[in-house]
Amino acid sequence: MGERPRDTALVDLVRDRGEALVRYAFLLTGDVTAAQDVVQDALVKVFVRLRARPQPEFLEAYVRRTIVTLYIDGYRRRRSWTQVEHLLVQDEARQGPDVDTAARLDLHAALATLAPQERAAVVLRYFADLTVPEIADEMGLAQGTVKRYLSNAVGRLEKRLGPMPMARSADTDEAMAVTTQHGGRH
């Protein structure tokens, strides 16, 4: 007896993109175990609902969208970041040569201060490299709402991390390109 196309698609997706999906979810949750749980829940939700023959080129996008939705929905139920925040804050007493690790910890601590919708918008914009209209579609929101979330989030992140040279929106991409070419802000 051969495998069903849905089973084959699931195995292929987990084998080929499973680690990337967990990393993506980790940016949202800030916790590896929670990220793995969200990915597993998203895979179940997507694959249980598949009715037609799965199209592999769309499966990862469906799973990613479901990860964001599950993350936001889960946060709405819990309303508490205190369980995770202490795991993300860098130990001030620890001094070491691994600057990248310290920067990642700072970033995770700063991301943990954002509201779930703001955090999801930031991850979709700067990690998934989606445009504002794509984020709006992904999150089921108006573009203006996404811009507000991004603006609020970038402001909060800059207070904790300093100026963000990569902070841009669909409206400022061209201005940032000109600024970068001229070596600074005008």
Side-chain angles (χ1 to χ4, degrees):
M1 216 186 239
E3 286 188 27
R4 296 185 312 204
R6 181 170 58 177
D7 295 340
T8 302
L10 173 61
V11 168
D12 290 347
L13 180 64
V14 171
R15 181 191 61 234
D16 298 341
R17 301 296 298 157
E19 286 183 36
L21 291 170
V22 171
R23 285 192 306 269
Y24 179 75
F26 176 78
L27 290 171
L28 295 168
T29 65
D31 179 71
V32 174
T33 304
Q36 292 168 337
D37 289 345
V38 169
V39 169
Q40 181 176 347
D41 291 347
L43 288 167
V44 168
K45 193 169 192 166
V46 168
F47 280 88
V48 164
R49 292 185 176 174
L50 280 179
R51 303 245 189 286
R53 182 177 197 92
Q55 297 176 349
E57 62 272 12
F58 299 118
L59 285 176
E60 183 175 357
Y62 293 145
V63 171
R64 284 180 182 263
R65 183 174 188 154
T66 304
I67 287 169
V68 171
T69 302
L70 289 171
Y71 164 73
I72 292 170
D73 290 347
Y75 181 83
R76 287 178 179 155
R77 284 188 300 271
R78 288 185 310 275
R79 297 278 187 208
S80 174
W81 275 100
T82 56
Q83 303 166 3
V84 178
E85 189 170 7
H86 73 280
L87 298 173
L88 302 175
V89 176
Q90 180 180 2
D91 181 5
E92 297 292 330
R94 184 179 161 265
Q95 299 293 326
D98 194 354
V99 176
D100 289 339
T101 300
R104 277 194 300 266
L105 290 173
D106 290 344
L107 176 61
H108 289 296
L111 285 171
T113 66
L114 301 178
Q117 296 260 7
E118 291 173 346
R119 186 171 179 162
V122 166
V123 169
L124 292 171
R125 180 69 179 113
Y126 299 104
F127 178 74
D129 202 29
L130 299 181
T131 64
V132 169
E134 291 169 332
I135 296 168
D137 182 54
E138 184 83 13
M139 294 177 70
L141 301 170
Q143 289 183 30
T145 304
V146 171
K147 288 178 184 179
R148 187 183 80 231
Y149 286 152
L150 287 171
S151 176
N152 292 348
V154 168
R156 290 168 119 186
L157 291 173
E158 285 182 334
K159 282 181 184 175
R160 288 191 65 123
L161 301 172
M164 294 175 53
M166 295 299 291
R168 58 186 165 81
S169 69
D171 298 332
T172 61
D173 283 346
E174 188 173 307
M176 288 298 289
V178 170
T179 300
T180 304
Q181 290 172 353
H182 291 80
R185 295 180 187 252
H186 293 113

